[in-house]
């Protein structure tokens, strides 16, 4: 039996939408992918990012954050590994900046579904965000049906956002701008992702 109300679900969706819009490594990476390789290559990457992000919601629903609270070192280890992965992605972007445009038929920097999922799973902080939002909006005890509806709402929003972003950033006008300034755009994107990786490692 469903315990959550339409009003609670609407509030959850609105809160999540605001959070998704805040720039993060996924937004930067899928934008750069769409610029460089177009919509056809960027969409699977964006969908991987969306699915990866939604898995943190599923983790929160299944009690992953309880594990983080009981064993704080697990969260620290995950942050460290995730930060190193973001630094590696930044390094590859930085080194690739002077190179010619990639062949759209080839996946670059792991820019495929699996690569997108890995990137968004590299940052465990969304699990804490989802946990805080779920606890503040919904009843403490949720049925399996409630959890299913909440997860489907989250994954739908994530998919909608990354699909729209991939299509928008692949527009011909934006891609032409990217072609004219590829070196600096790639270097800025690499710096932003690198700083996010360092922040993930160093921030307590």
């Amino acid at each position: 039996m469903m315990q959550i109300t339409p009003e609670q679900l609407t509030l959850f969706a609105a809160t999540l939408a605001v959070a998704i819009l805040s720039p993060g490594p996924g937004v930067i990476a899928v934008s750069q992918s769409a610029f460089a390789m177009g919509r056809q290559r960027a969409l699977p990457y964006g969908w991987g990012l969306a699915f990866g992000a939604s898995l943190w919601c599923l983790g929160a629903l299944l009690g992953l954050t309880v594990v983080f609270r009981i064993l704080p070192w697990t969260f620290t280890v995950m942050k460290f590994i995730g930060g190193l992965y973001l630094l590696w992605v930044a390094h590859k972007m930085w080194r690739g900046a002077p190179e010619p445009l990639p062949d759209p038929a080839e996946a670059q920097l792991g820019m495929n579904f699996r690569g997108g999922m890995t990137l968004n799973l590299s940052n465990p902080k969304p699990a804490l965000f989802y946990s805080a939002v779920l606890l503040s909006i919904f009843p403490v005890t949720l049925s399996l049906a409630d959890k299913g509806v909440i997860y489907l709402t989250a994954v739908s929003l994530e998919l909608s956002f990354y699909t729209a972003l991939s299509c928008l950033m692949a527009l011909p006008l934006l891609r032409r701008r990217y072609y004219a300034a590829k070196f600096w755009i790639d270097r800025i994107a690499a710096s932003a992702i690198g700083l996010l990786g360092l922040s993930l490692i160093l921030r307590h």
Side-chain angles (χ1 to χ4, degrees), residues 154-171:
V155 73
S156 298
L157 282 170
E158 298 278 3
L159 281 170
S160 298
F161 172 75
Y162 281 107
T163 298
L165 184 63
S166 299
C167 294
L168 175 64
M169 294 305 179
L171 290 175

Side-chain angles (χ1 to χ4, degrees), residues 170-181:
L171 290 175
L173 175 62
L174 295 179
R175 294 194 73 195
R176 285 196 297 271
R177 295 287 178 87
Y178 170 74
Y179 295 158

Side-chain angles (χ1 to χ4, degrees), residues 41-56:
R41 293 300 314 177
L43 276 173
Y45 189 55
W47 294 335
L49 286 162
F51 184 66
S54 75
L55 289 180
W56 288 123

Side-chain angles (χ1 to χ4, degrees), residues 58-110:
L58 186 62
L61 287 168
L62 297 178
L64 178 62
T65 47
V66 175
V67 176
F68 288 158
R69 282 195 290 267
I70 296 173
L71 301 171
W73 63 268
T74 58
F75 183 67
T76 302
V77 168
M78 289 190 70
K79 283 204 309 173
F80 185 75
I81 293 173
L84 289 179
Y85 179 74
L86 291 180
L87 289 174
W88 178 80
V89 171
H91 171 70
K92 297 290 284 184
M93 277 189 178
W94 184 276
R95 288 192 60 185
E99 296 176 0
L101 289 169
D103 183 348
E106 298 177 1
Q108 300 289 323
L109 300 175

Side-chain angles (χ1 to χ4, degrees), residues 19-33:
I20 291 174
L21 289 173
S22 61
V27 172
I28 297 167
V30 79
S31 298
Q32 197 267 354
S33 174

